[in-house]
Structures are given as structure tokens and as C-alpha cells.
Amino acid sequence: MKIFIASPLFNPEQIAIIEQIERTITAAGHDFYSARLHSGSDKMTPEERKVLSAWDPIFESNVKGLDDCDAMIAVLEYAMPEDRSLFRCDRVDGVWQTTASVELPDAGTVWEMGYHRAQDKQVIGFHSKERPAHLNLMLTHGCMGLVLGFGALESFLRPGTPQEARGAFNWSACSAWEAEQRQVE
């Protein structure tokens, strides 16, 4: 099986997640396409990055990667450094208070998920935490399943796991409400 890794890759925290996914896929004996390694964006000069048309080959490489892959692991978290985290504020008893950490989905990952899903290919959501605080409803329900944590990803990708067993694997799309309930366990 060849797997497309859809994920933001804009800071060390995000790249660390991608690298672990790449190692996990390789250890399970599968091939993958990762924009981090295969798109060529790492070879662009700072001057090229300022020119819109210079990004055309990167876009085409990613689309070809999507077309060539059988399945996708879509990272549904937007790992941010601690000092740059986003928070949701709500009015509690008339006072604005920070109530939750917020993870915004990466626009490129969302586009890739929609493209892959439109091709009727398997899209598997992934979050590195076993109990994410918030997951977007449209993204989780747009996936054929949701794998939480690297241990679960290893189990899911284990060689010899029959496709039927993967379908019965304890993973399912969940709403932000259900994810929040898991957080409270």
C-alpha cells in the first residue's frame, strides 16, 4: 500500500510528527509520499519562494502524489510551539475567560483530504494525542476512520493485518463533542 501523508509542515513540532509517521509507515513495510521529502519545496531558494509560479512544480508533485497513493493519513492537528498556541475565549458568568486550546486545521491538508476523498480513496484521520481536546466535525466525519496516537497508528499499519480487521479496528470518526467527552474520562 502507498500512503499519502497530509500534514502541515511549518515548524519543528509539525515536522517531528511527520517524521514519526514516516518511520511508522516504513517500519510497517508500506511506501509513502511526503511533501517534506518528495515535493522539492526544501530545495527552493528564498527568492523562488516569493514567486507564485515557482510553486507550480510543488503543487503538481503533491497532486501526482495524491493520484499515485492508495490511502491517506491526514494529520488533524496543527501542532504549535507552546509560546504560540491559540486559545478559545468564552463568556463565563459575564466575564471573558480562556476556556480551551484551539487547533486550527491546515488549509493544505484540508484541500488534500477533499481531493483524495473525491477520488473515493481511503482517508484516515490522525492525531498524535490519544485524547485530543478538539477535532473539527467536518474533518473527522470526512475520514473513514480516526487513529489516535502513534501506538494506534502502528497497530493499524501492522503488516499482515487483514483489511477486514482494519475495518473493525477501534477507530471511528468522532465529533468535537465526543472528543471532548473522551478528554474528561
Side-chain angles (χ1 to χ4, degrees), residues 86-97:
L86 301 173
F87 296 94
R88 185 178 85 205
C89 294
D90 293 306
R91 262 186 109 92
V92 179
D93 296 327
V95 178
W96 286 100
Q97 297 180 10

Side-chain angles (χ1 to χ4, degrees), residues 149-181:
F150 286 107
L153 182 61
E154 289 173 19
S155 297
F156 180 76
L157 295 172
R158 184 172 297 127
T161 303
Q163 193 63 31
E164 307 81 56
R166 286 192 185 133
F169 189 69
N170 189 19
W171 56 288
S172 62
C174 69
S175 68
W177 170 256
E178 290 166 333
E180 187 173 305
Q181 295 307 305

